[in-house]
Amino acid sequence: MTLSEELTWRGLVNQTTFPDLRLLDKTKLTFYHGFDASADSQAVGNLAAMMLDRCFMRHGHNAIIVAGGATSLVGDPGGKDSERELQDESTINKNVLAAEKQLKKIFSDLKFTLVNNYSWTKDVTVLDFLREVGKHFNMTGLIQRDYLANRLGPDGSGISYAEFSYTVLQGYDYLHLFDRYNCTLQLGGSDQWGNCLSGVELIRKIRGAEVHVITQPLVVNKSTGKKFGKSEEGAVWLNPAKTSPTEFYQFWLNADDESVEDYLKIYTDCDKATIDKVIADHRKDPAKRLAQNLLARESTTIVHGKEEMVKALVMTKYLSGQVHLSSIKEDELKIMRGSIPSIKLKQAESLADALVRTGLASSKTEARQFLSVGAVYVNNEVAKKDELSETDFQNGRLLLRRGKVLKNVALVEK
């Protein structure tokens, strides 16, 4: 399958300046993709963009991945109804380092160049920037772009000069990368179309050269109509300290049947034959969730590595009750002890004592409050009393959970 065919099959193209995507199959080019650093972790929405990059890399195109140390200091107005709150330079620098660490892990098996746009903007003076870059942008064209027009219209919240200038900064990034690396393609999300065109126009005016843009659709959950993203409630992060590999794995395992085929195409490197087969098998028996299992395994491996994926698979198997704890193998038990709080129950200890010792409650008083409202589970069953009996243990072990979220779980052994 050629790159143009794969991009079309995976549904990764929204808009493009290419008259024909098959031009991508005829030569190897250098592309760039920028990543925002306004948060201390990238999220699954950003992961879709990284998977687009992986697709280009697998087909032999040269990748320049840009951490937005400069542009994040200004704030992207795209997709926002109101002004972003500016973050200080120290915060952005920390976010850039976090983003670079995640990007290196996602692309660890592929060749790419990682840069920070702060490095080529920090020494540019205001007057030089206005004269050499700003003079090439027509205000009439800028204010007609949808995301700016909406903010400037009668019902809009307005926009500061700083955010208004974001698109010019992004255009300058493209110019710098064109000059430095002969970069002739920018990738971005569909909400970045206007910003991407800024670079295309700037390079045409200053260098007399033709460069291109491809944007990809924003990923939307078909059953809810909501998009993935780090600004959305309940965001799923790539940082394991914010969303553990087990939580990440379970997120994909819980994908709805309506969206799972799209997610497999976007969030995994699986080829068409593999995805077609698992979807066909899934439709024969949706209860087995074969498609979701493949999605969870593949996506977790890309983000967290195979070792963490195996741990997440083991944890999910027992935490969800798919497999009885009494049948746990020694190697799996070792994984569990290393992944969640684990204690040896002392003689005459109550359930409240166990909750405190595992860190699921801060005190016995709080533990009893959790018990009184049915927020404590023993082996996925609501605990009815503040004591543990022999029947609660499965081959000398039980799983203790606070609340419905599988995150707050501990192993208790006799």
Side-chain angles (χ1 to χ4, degrees), residues 1-11 21-22 25:
M1 186 181 288
T2 65
L3 174 57
S4 63
E5 290 171 337
E6 184 169 353
L7 292 173
T8 302
W9 168 67
R10 291 187 186 275
L21 280 177
R22 287 175 293 183
D25 307 326

Side-chain angles (χ1 to χ4, degrees), residues 319-371:
L319 295 182
S320 63
Q322 296 174 31
V323 179
H324 204 270
L325 192 60
S326 61
S327 62
I328 192 168
K329 300 174 183 176
E330 190 58 37
D331 58 336
E332 294 177 326
L333 186 58
K334 185 176 180 180
I335 288 174
M336 185 173 289
R337 287 170 178 158
S339 301
I340 60 176
S342 174
I343 65 168
K344 286 277 189 181
L345 193 69
K346 298 176 182 177
Q347 191 172 6
E349 273 193 313
S350 67
L351 182 52
D353 292 323
L355 286 165
V356 174
R357 279 221 291 137
T358 55
L360 297 181
S362 60
S363 66
K364 290 184 72 171
T365 299
E366 185 179 58
R368 292 188 183 106
Q369 289 175 343
F370 290 145
L371 283 163

